[in-house]
Amino acid sequence: MEEDPKTKVQEIKEETKDLLESVTDYLNTYYHLISVTVAQKGINIASGAVNAVILIIFGFFSFGFISLGLGWWLGNLVNNRIVGFFLVAGFYIMIMIFIIIMRKNLILPFLRNLLTKKVYE
């Protein structure tokens, strides 16, 4: 016994409608997944930036007070406070020169790798 062609067409319409709903649900879910992933990466980047800014501020204060203390202490050792501060400044200038010389070989590749890891984390 053969099915009625109208019934068969109706079944195909129903299956097509179900398939279309499933595809629509899939696309909506995928869109929400991408939205959540992008938001999560944005939050991670923002929280990392805030954390870095806070650490940098406290680092500058600590670095400044340690430098002042070291300059004062060295000045007392050589009986001339000005010379103590110049010794600390000279040490920092030597570190800056070293960083400038090594930036292309060590520092820039390190920062590039660090940022790449953070982006794909």
Side-chain angles (χ1 to χ4, degrees), residues 13-107:
K13 283 183 180 180
E14 288 293 322
E15 289 177 7
T16 305
K17 184 178 177 184
D18 290 343
L19 179 63
L20 185 61
E21 287 177 5
S22 296
V23 168
T24 304
D25 289 343
Y26 173 77
L27 291 176
N28 282 334
T29 304
Y30 190 70
Y31 171 76
H32 290 298
L33 175 66
I34 290 174
S35 299
V36 168
T37 304
V38 168
Q40 185 178 19
K41 285 194 182 279
I43 289 170
N44 287 343
I45 290 171
S47 66
V50 168
N51 189 28
V53 167
I54 291 171
L55 288 176
I56 288 170
I57 289 171
F58 282 114
F60 277 140
F61 279 117
S62 299
F63 184 73
F65 284 119
I66 289 170
S67 296
L68 286 172
L70 184 62
W72 199 283
W73 179 71
L74 286 174
N76 286 339
L77 282 180
V78 296
N79 292 326
N80 190 342
R81 213 163 276 137
I82 294 172
V83 172
F85 286 108
F86 276 122
L87 287 173
V88 172
F91 177 71
Y92 292 145
I93 289 171
M94 287 177 18
I95 290 175
M96 282 181 6
I97 290 170
F98 177 75
I99 289 172
I100 290 170
I101 291 171
M102 300 306 286
R103 73 173 183 245
K104 288 185 181 178
N105 295 333
L106 293 177
I107 296 169

